[in-house]
Amino acid sequence: MREPTLQEPPRAWWHSLVPVSTGDISPAGHVRLLEMTYERLRYSVLVTPFGALPVVWYFRRFDDGLWLFAWCLFYVGFALFVFWLDRWYRRDRSELSADAMLRRWKPLLGRIATVHGLGLTAATAVTAAHAPIEFMLLIHLILAGTVAANATHQTPLIGVFLRFLGATATVLLLAPYAFKDRWPLALPLATMFTLAIYKHALTAHRFFVEQVRLEERSQTLAQQSRDAQEAAELALQEKNRFLATASHDLRQPMHAMSMLVAALQTHSQDATLRPLLSNLKTSTDSLSLMFDSLLNLSSLEAGRIVADPRYVDLTPLLNEAAALYREQARSLGLQLRVHVPRNGDTLAFVDASLLRQALVNLVHNALRFTRAGGVLLAARRRGMGWSIEVWDTGMGVATEEQSRIFSPYYRGDQAWPVNAPGHGLGLSVVARGADLLGIEYGMRSQLGRGSCFWLRLRGADALGVAAMTSEPVSVRPTALHGRCLVLDDDPHVIAAWQVMLAAWGVQARCVADGMQAFAALDQGFVPQAIFCDQRLRSGESGFELLQALLARCPEASGAMVSGEFDSSALHAAEADGYLVLRKPVDPEQVHALLARWLQGR
C-alpha cells in the first residue's frame, strides 16, 4: 500500500495573482522588507541620470533634444533629493521604533516609487513626436529592463513596487502616439510584458517574505536556545548554591555516625563483634565517599575546588580504595585485587584527595556492573609517568556509548537492568577531577567482556623523591587524658562527640553557642583542646568564637569543624594558620590531634 504524502492543499489559479499575506511577520520583519525595498529603489533612482545622458546624446541625431535634456535635469535633481534623503533615513533607522519607522517611511517610499515610474514614462512622452521607430524601440527596451530589474529586487514591499509598476504602465496609453500605425502590434506585446512582470514580482515578493520568515524563526529558535541555556545555567547555579549551603546539614548525620562507630570499636571487647564493627566502619566510609560524589560534582562544576598537586605514594591510595570495597566485593562473590610494582617505587605528582576520590568512584563503578570474575586496581609504569587502571570483567560498554560515558547523569541502556539505583554521577566526577588536575583519562571496553578505565599521572623525579613526606600512619585509639571543649548545635553530633571522647578517656564539655561556652569557662572548666563548628543556629561565627576562646585559654589548641567548602570564614581561618577539619571528620585524625595536643600539655 502506498504511503500517504504530505501535500499542500490545492489552490485556485487566481491565488497566484494575489500578494502573499505578511500578517504573521513582526514589525521588525516588515522593517527588514522596507530596508531591502529602499536600497533597491534608491539605487535605481541614483543610476538613472547616468543612463539618461547617453540617451540624450543619441537623441540629438534626430532632434535638438531640449525636452529630453530637461527630463535629464529633472532626474539629476530627483537623484540629489534621494541622496540627501538617505541621511534622514539612516538617522530614523537608528532612533525610531519599528512601528514608527514603518509609519513614516512606507508611504514615503510609495511616493518616491510613483514619481520614479512616471519619470521613466516621461522620457517616452517627450520624444514620441520627433523620434523614429528605432529610437522608440530603444527607449521602450530600456524602460522594460528597468522595470524587470526592479521587479526582481524592489518587491519586498509589494505595495511600493506596484505603485512603480502602475506608474510605468501609463506608457501603454502612449502606444498609438509613439508607434503610430504599428501600435496594434506594440500594445498587446507591452500589455503581456506588464502582466508577466506583475506575476514575476509576486513570485519575488513571496521569496523575500519567506526569507524574512525564516530569519525570524531562526532568531526565535536561537533566542529559545539561549533562554534554555540560561535557564539550565541558572538551575545549575541554584543547585550548586543549594548544595553548598546545605552541605553542612547534609554531612551532619555522617559526621555523627563515624564518631559513634569509632566509640563502639573502642568499647567493644567481644571478639565476635570486631569483624562486624570493621565492616560497619567500612560501609560508613563507603557511604560517606559515595555521598561526597554529589557534593564534589557540584563543587567541581562551581569551580570551588582547586587542585594542589604534590608528590604522593600511590600504593597507600590504591590499597585504601580497595579496602573500602573489599567486603562488598566479597559479598558479591568477586575478587578485588591491587597490583603495584614490586620495588615499591610508586611516587607520583598529583593531588591526593582528587585522585583518591577518582579511584573510589572507579572501583565502586566497576563493582556495580560486574556479576562474575573480579576487579583489578593497578598502577603501571608508562615512560616517566604512571597509568592508574581499574579493570573489571563486567558487562562492558557499547562502542556508540563510550563517548558519552563520562557525561553527568548519563547511563547506558545496558546499565538500567543491571544496576537501577545509580544516577550516573561517579564517572562524571572522575572526568571533572581529571580535567582539574590536567591529566588524561579514558577507557577501553568490549561489550560483554569487561572494561578498563585509566588515568595518566606524572611521575616523580629525584627532587620529588627528596621532597616526599611520609604518609600519616593510622593511630590506634589508645587511652587519652585531658579536657576538650566542643561547640556544636546538633544534638546527635554532640552525643556522638561525648560518646567518642568518653571512650578515649577525654573529659568533654559540649555546648551549643558562645554564651554556654564562656559560662563553662566561668565555672572553672579549662579546656586543653577546642573544636568549634562554623555554622551555629545562634548566628554566631564559629571562627570568631574559636579566636575568642583561644584568647581566653592561651594554653589550649583548637580547630574548626565544618561541612562547608566555600566559606570565606574558613578560608580566612586557614590563611591565618588555623586547622580546619571537614565533615565527616576522621576519628583517627581527631585522635592523633588530641594525642599531640594533650600530651604537649
Side-chain angles (χ1 to χ4, degrees):
M1 183 176 178
R2 186 176 180 181
E3 294 183 358
T5 57
L6 294 177
Q7 297 180 347
E8 293 185 359
R11 301 175 59 188
W13 65 269
W14 49 269
H15 283 169
S16 61
L17 301 179
V18 178
V20 65
S21 173
T22 59
D24 59 333
I25 296 179
S26 66
H30 280 93
V31 170
R32 178 80 176 105
L33 295 173
L34 183 142
E35 286 179 342
M36 292 186 285
T37 300
Y38 169 79
E39 292 296 337
R40 180 60 196 181
L41 180 60
R42 174 175 176 270
Y43 175 78
S44 180
V45 172
L46 292 180
V47 300
T48 299
F50 297 97
L53 290 175
V55 173
V56 173
W57 176 83
Y58 181 71
F59 184 72
R60 292 192 64 181
R61 297 173 57 184
F62 314 107
D63 193 89
D64 59 5
L66 180 62
W67 285 103
L68 194 61
F69 185 73
W71 170 80
C72 184
L73 289 179
F74 161 77
Y75 253 106
V76 170
F78 188 36
L80 290 175
F81 169 75
V82 171
F83 182 80
W84 171 81
L85 200 64
D86 185 66
R87 60 180 296 188
W88 300 103
Y89 174 84
R90 305 296 175 188
R91 185 200 64 183
D92 289 349
R93 183 69 184 90
S94 61
E95 296 179 358
L96 297 181
S97 65
D99 291 330
M101 189 73 182
L102 291 171
R103 285 196 302 268
R104 174 174 294 182
W105 282 93
K106 190 174 179 180
L108 184 57
L109 290 186
R111 298 187 190 103
I112 294 175
T114 302
V115 173
H116 185 33
L118 292 174
L120 292 175
T121 306
T124 302
V126 299
T127 59
H130 312 285
I133 188 65
E134 293 84 0
F135 182 82
M136 296 309 299
L137 287 173
L138 174 64
I139 201 72
H140 277 75
L141 286 176
I142 294 174
L143 177 61
T146 304
V147 172
N150 282 274
T152 301
H153 299 286
Q154 191 180 299
T155 52
L157 285 181
I158 190 65
V160 174
F161 175 75
L162 291 181
R163 288 194 177 194
F164 172 75
L165 181 63
T168 56
T170 57
V171 76
L172 298 176
L173 302 176
L174 300 175
Y177 182 59
F179 292 99
K180 298 180 174 59
D181 56 340
R182 294 182 179 87
W183 72 267
L185 178 62
L187 183 59
L189 289 176
T191 302
M192 289 193 309
F193 175 79
T194 302
L195 294 176
I197 288 296
Y198 174 73
K199 182 73 180 301
H200 173 72
L202 295 183
T203 302
H205 172 63
R206 291 190 182 93
F207 170 79
F208 286 114
V209 170
E210 286 302 319
Q211 178 184 350
V212 171
R213 283 175 177 162
L214 289 175
E215 290 177 356
E216 290 196 334
R217 289 170 188 167
S218 63
Q219 292 173 358
T220 301
L221 291 175
Q223 184 61 44
Q224 290 175 349
S225 177
R226 288 192 294 268
D227 293 342
Q229 182 178 359
E230 292 176 359
E233 292 177 352
L234 181 61
L236 179 62
Q237 293 173 2
E238 289 296 330
K239 183 262 294 182
N240 290 337
R241 189 178 299 112
F242 166 76
L243 290 176
T245 304
S247 61
H248 175 273
D249 297 331
L250 293 173
R251 292 177 186 272
Q252 289 288 74
M254 295 303 306
H255 179 50
M257 190 183 301
S258 62
M259 291 189 291
L260 290 174
V261 171
L264 284 174
Q265 286 181 313
T266 304
H267 276 300
S268 176
Q269 303 297 326
D270 191 342
T272 60
L273 291 179
R274 290 175 184 171
L276 297 176
L277 291 174
S278 178
N279 292 343
L280 178 60
K281 184 178 185 303
T282 301
S283 299
T284 303
D285 294 339
S286 176
L287 179 61
S288 176
L289 288 169
M290 286 186 287
F291 171 75
D292 285 344
S293 295
L294 179 62
L295 298 178
N296 286 341
L297 178 61
S298 66
S299 298
L300 288 169
E301 289 175 339
R304 293 193 300 269
I305 295 180
V306 179
D308 184 21
R310 299 182 182 184
Y311 291 102
V312 297
D313 191 356
L314 297 176
T315 301
L317 290 178
L318 269 63
N319 289 329
E320 178 184 340
L324 287 175
Y325 293 103
R326 187 157 282 120
E327 289 300 324
Q328 180 181 347
R330 186 179 295 113
S331 66
L332 295 173
L334 304 174
Q335 289 185 336
L336 178 56
R337 297 183 296 118
V338 177
H339 171 78
V340 294
R342 293 183 179 180
N343 59 10
D345 179 18
T346 56
L347 200 61
F349 189 73
V350 69
D351 186 305
S353 62
L354 288 174
L355 178 59
R356 182 183 293 109
Q357 184 67 55
L359 292 174
V360 168
N361 287 348
L362 289 176
V363 173
H364 182 238
N365 186 75
L367 290 174
R368 286 165 57 194
F369 300 106
T370 302
R371 289 294 174 262
V375 176
L376 173 65
L377 181 56
R380 306 181 191 278
R381 270 291 184 184
R382 291 292 182 268
M384 298 299 294
W386 290 96
S387 176
I388 305 299
E389 301 170 354
V390 178
W391 295 79
D392 65 68
T393 57
M395 56 183 291
V397 181
T399 304
E400 61 273 13
E401 295 179 348
Q402 293 182 13
S403 61
R404 295 176 289 172
I405 198 67
F406 289 100
S407 302
Y409 308 106
Y410 177 77
R411 305 190 74 209
D413 294 335
Q414 295 85 5
W416 291 101
V418 177
N419 194 284
H423 295 87
L425 286 173
L427 293 180
S428 63
V429 173
V430 174
R432 298 294 177 87
D435 291 338
L436 190 60
L437 289 168
I439 62 176
E440 296 181 6
Y441 65 92
M443 67 165 300
R444 301 185 298 275
S445 184
Q446 186 175 354
L447 195 61
R449 300 289 297 275
S451 306
C452 172
F453 291 85
W454 52 266
L455 302 167
R456 299 285 189 264
L457 306 181
R458 172 185 164 187
D461 51 20
L463 180 61
V465 174
M468 175 65 182
T469 58
S470 60
E471 291 288 324
V473 297
S474 178
V475 179
R476 293 182 59 190
T478 56
L480 300 173
H481 300 284
R483 296 174 301 279
C484 180
L485 177 64
V486 177
L487 273 80
D488 200 300
D489 56 8
D490 190 305
H492 300 288
V493 174
I494 289 177
W497 272 108
Q498 291 173 333
V499 172
M500 183 180 69
L501 294 176
W504 293 342
V506 178
Q507 182 183 356
R509 181 69 67 88
C510 297
V511 296
D513 54 38
M515 182 180 297
Q516 296 180 14
F518 285 104
L521 299 183
D522 294 338
Q523 294 170 5
F525 183 80
V526 182
Q528 297 164 283
I530 302 173
F531 293 98
C532 187
D533 190 74
Q534 167 59 19
R535 181 182 295 182
L536 300 171
R537 291 193 182 95
S538 61
E540 298 169 292
S541 168
F543 180 41
E544 294 178 358
L545 282 178
L546 178 63
Q547 291 176 310
L549 291 171
L550 291 177
R552 177 80 176 269
C553 306
E555 297 298 322
S557 300
M560 296 293 300
V561 181
S562 179
E564 300 179 39
F565 281 93
D566 192 22
S567 169
S568 58
L570 295 179
H571 293 326
E574 292 178 318
D576 291 344
Y578 289 88
L579 180 63
V580 178
L581 303 179
R582 307 292 179 177
K583 293 181 180 180
V585 298
D586 184 358
E588 293 184 353
Q589 184 182 13
V590 176
H591 188 281
L593 282 174
L594 288 175
R596 186 168 72 248
W597 290 349
L598 300 181
Q599 184 180 4
R601 298 295 178 266

